Amino acid sequence: MRMFQKTAWIWFLGFAAWLADALLSLRLHNILHARLALMVAIVFFTAGLFYRRQT
């Protein structure tokens, strides 16, 4: 197992944190921040998938 596979969970943790931030921003009616946080969450999720599939 390579180092990237061992640390891929960090990317998913970042995804969860940014997604929670986006949901909280929506709850507080800050739409712009919610959209930006959602975009960052998608980047973290994509990176997690990429690093998980490294062989």
Side-chain angles (χ1 to χ4, degrees):
M1 184 180 271
R2 295 178 65 177
M3 185 179 82
F4 293 132
Q5 289 175 319
K6 293 178 186 176
T7 59
W9 64 270
I10 294 171
W11 292 103
F12 293 114
L13 185 63
F15 164 72
W18 280 105
L19 188 61
D21 184 47
L23 293 173
L24 181 62
S25 294
L26 277 177
R27 178 90 170 125
L28 297 174
H29 305 290
N30 190 347
I31 303 299
L32 180 61
H33 184 87
R35 289 178 67 191
L36 291 172
L38 187 58
M39 285 191 266
V40 173
I42 291 170
V43 170
F44 270 77
F45 184 74
T46 304
L49 291 178
F50 174 76
Y51 282 113
R52 187 182 61 152
R53 293 188 180 163
Q54 293 292 313
T55 56

